[in-house]
Amino acid sequence: WHYSSHYSNAYAVNQSLASKGFVVLTVNYRLGIGYGYEFHQPADGGRRGASEYQDILAAHKWLAGQDFVDAERIGIYGGSYGGYLTAMALGRNSDLFAAGVDISGVHDWTSRSRSYQAINRYEKVPDAEQALELAWKSSPVADVNGWKSPGLIIHADDDRNVDYNQSTDLVQRLRKLGAPHETMTIVDDTHHFMVYSNQVAVNRATASFLIKHLKE
């Protein structure tokens, strides 16, 4: 068990899925720790290019190449930054990922970059337009038209880390497209699900959704 409750709960979900016949791979994508400064601080990571998504594609490629994995039924799930990468996968590569659960993910980097364009700012950012364009291209909402696989979007409405409207905006876009999705709102809780029963509910919903859409 990890000292962080988030990881402890995620590992519990992984163990539960594995016990039900899933093959589970946890990705230490770039921006993570353990491989030095350049891995932890890539120049083109996050809103500056989303290079970490390449690691998700590499994980899929490895899984799909294993003789004990059904390449047609590979799913993805994650919380917070993992939710962001899940939404990226379903938007960019529904051809590869058959289903996904996006928990408290960032979906539009530009909402966190608007200060670049503040009209009353004395010091003007010379490349503000380019920065916003890159932030948009690095966001799941930029590729939402490609969302074809079933997705479950879970978010707490008192999230102080990732605004709840990151998910409500994504859901509205999916509704307009008629893209397959379900939603789950955790009422009066935060990014880390402080109420234990809420965490259990999220874990169960995650596992049930993946079982529903990926198992025979």
Side-chain angles (χ1 to χ4, degrees):
W1 295 99
H2 197 277
Y3 60 85
S4 165
S5 61
H6 171 80
Y7 291 114
S8 293
N9 281 288
Y11 295 162
V13 174
N14 291 348
Q15 290 285 353
S16 177
L17 290 171
S19 73
K20 293 174 169 52
F22 284 84
V23 176
V24 184
L25 176 63
T26 301
V27 183
N28 184 13
Y29 47 86
R30 70 196 75 182
L31 301 178
I33 62 174
Y35 294 97
Y37 181 83
E38 291 184 359
F39 183 83
H40 184 50
Q41 300 287 335
D44 53 358
R47 72 186 71 183
R48 297 181 300 276
S51 62
E52 62 277 12
Y53 182 61
Q54 297 174 45
D55 302 323
I56 303 304
L57 292 178
H60 177 280
K61 183 177 181 180
W62 185 86
L63 279 172
Q66 307 308 307
D67 58 10
F68 51 84
V69 173
D70 183 346
E72 299 299 317
R73 289 187 289 154
I74 294 177
I76 182 171
Y77 89 93
S80 194
Y81 213 94
Y84 160 69
L85 290 171
T86 295
M88 289 282 282
L90 296 180
R92 290 187 176 185
N93 290 111
S94 275
D95 57 324
L96 301 179
F97 296 96
V101 181
D102 164 5
I103 306 167
S104 310
V106 172
H107 306 125
D108 184 355
W109 281 124
T110 65
S111 66
R112 296 188 169 197
S113 307
R114 291 294 172 185
S115 60
Y116 297 155
Q117 287 190 316
I119 59 175
N120 59 346
R121 185 178 180 136
Y122 178 75
E123 297 167 317
K124 304 299 182 183
V125 179
D127 59 349
E129 290 294 337
Q130 295 94 318
L132 283 172
E133 181 181 2
L134 183 56
W136 172 259
K137 291 180 178 178
S138 304
S139 303
V141 289
D143 297 294
V144 72
N145 288 342
W147 190 301
K148 308 297 182 185
S149 298
L152 171 61
I153 296 92
I154 302 174
H155 211 133
D157 64 1
D158 196 23
D159 193 326
R160 314 294 177 88
N161 297 65
V162 178
D163 291 340
Y164 179 58
N165 64 16
Q166 287 279 328
S167 286
T168 57
D169 174 72
L170 173 65
V171 168
Q172 290 302 317
R173 295 173 189 272
L174 294 175
R175 285 177 176 171
K176 288 180 180 179
L177 291 168
H181 71 283
E182 298 178 25
T183 63
M184 179 179 182
T185 294
I186 306 301
V187 178
D188 292 335
D189 208 342
T190 68
H191 191 68
H192 302 285
F193 304 128
M194 303 297 288
V195 179
Y196 177 70
S197 59
N198 288 339
Q199 182 66 73
V200 172
V202 169
N203 291 354
R204 287 177 172 167
T206 298
S208 296
F209 189 84
L210 296 175
I211 290 169
K212 172 183 176 182
H213 291 283
L214 299 177
K215 292 203 73 175
E216 290 181 329

